[in-house]
Amino acid sequence: MKIGAFAKQARRVSTPYRVTKGSGFRLDKFDPGDTGGYGDAAKPRAKAALQAGIETLVELQDRLYAQDCWALLLIFQAMDAAGKDGAIKHVMSGVNPQGCQVASFKTPSNEELDHDFLWRCMKHLPERGRIGLFNRSYYEEVLVVRVHPELLHGQKLPDELVGRKIWEERYRDIRDFERYLTGNGTRIVKFFLNVSKDEQKKRFLERIENPEKNWKFSPSDALERRHWKEYMRAYEDMIRATASEEAPWYVVPADNKWYTRVVVAAAVIDALASLDLRYPKVSKKVLQELAAAKEELLGG
Ligand code: ATP
Ligand code: MG
């Protein structure tokens, strides 16, 4: 299938989950179990479509790299066990590793806490021509830190700068930062993998019961579930404050992994296809040089 036709299909699949305007956004309007009307029977077809989608993505990435002008930043946020790692792995499988950079953001180190909250992420922004993937990001600063405000005290901020408006101020900083990046050629696409509390419980139990998955589970993950409601509120407020046309959020249903991956791949294809990427055109002079080199090679 040609890129154009695929891009159209990718837009159709991803649009229902795309949020570009925060006002009026409600998380409860998005069903974590949604599979776009396709039942389990559609799974094999979805897998084939995903494979074809990935081939399109590989071609688009090749052009992105060759053109060396735009960068794409993909941000993944989610509750534990929502499938961030799997989505990143599947969607980016097959793309040229030279053209993408993954960064995971965990509890900040002392060195990181000695800087402003965007600092550690800035260091990992993708270069032109590359795709950058953030597994968690500066958005943790208005999620986990909001749910556990005691974390703020560890951030060594001057007291007078930590007021009641701190979250509003951080949203503003993030909006400004994303506008700045967009204006400099970095396209930003943000994913919230929307898993339900029940599905998360199922996946945790599986991690505990299956020895091969034990390593994925940490007892603190189960404790964090107690704050589920506060997290959902924080996610909702965050999306309301930071969704925009240039840096949209996708609220991706995450109770069915096969569908999560289809939607994420579709959104990435849509973002790349909208850039109208082309291989650089070679000048007349270079064409002449190529012809001369060919003659030299054949003659020699
Ligand atoms: P997985 O559990 O799938 O391996 P993960 O992304 O959950 O991946 P962990 O090491 O379990 O990785 O968790 C990282 C933890 O770091 C999360 O609990 C997250 O909330 C926390 N974290 C990330 N950024 C910040 C931050 N700026 N301040 C405080 N905690 C943070
Ligand atoms: Mg974790």
Side-chain angles (χ1 to χ4, degrees), residues 46-95:
K47 278 195 176 154
L50 181 59
Q51 202 41 50
I54 287 170
E55 281 161 28
T56 307
L57 217 154
V58 169
E59 197 177 327
L60 285 164
Q61 187 220 8
D62 201 48
R63 295 183 188 196
L64 180 81
Y65 191 81
Q67 201 181 37
D68 201 18
C69 157
W70 294 96
L72 179 66
L73 174 62
L74 307 174
I75 295 181
F76 290 85
Q77 288 290 157
M79 297 297 283
D80 273 308
K84 281 183 283 114
D85 291 6
I88 292 172
K89 195 165 95 186
H90 273 79
V91 172
M92 301 316 285
S93 63
V95 301

Side-chain angles (χ1 to χ4, degrees), residues 80 136 216 221:
D80 273 308
R136 302 187 188 271
K216 284 191 183 179
D221 291 349

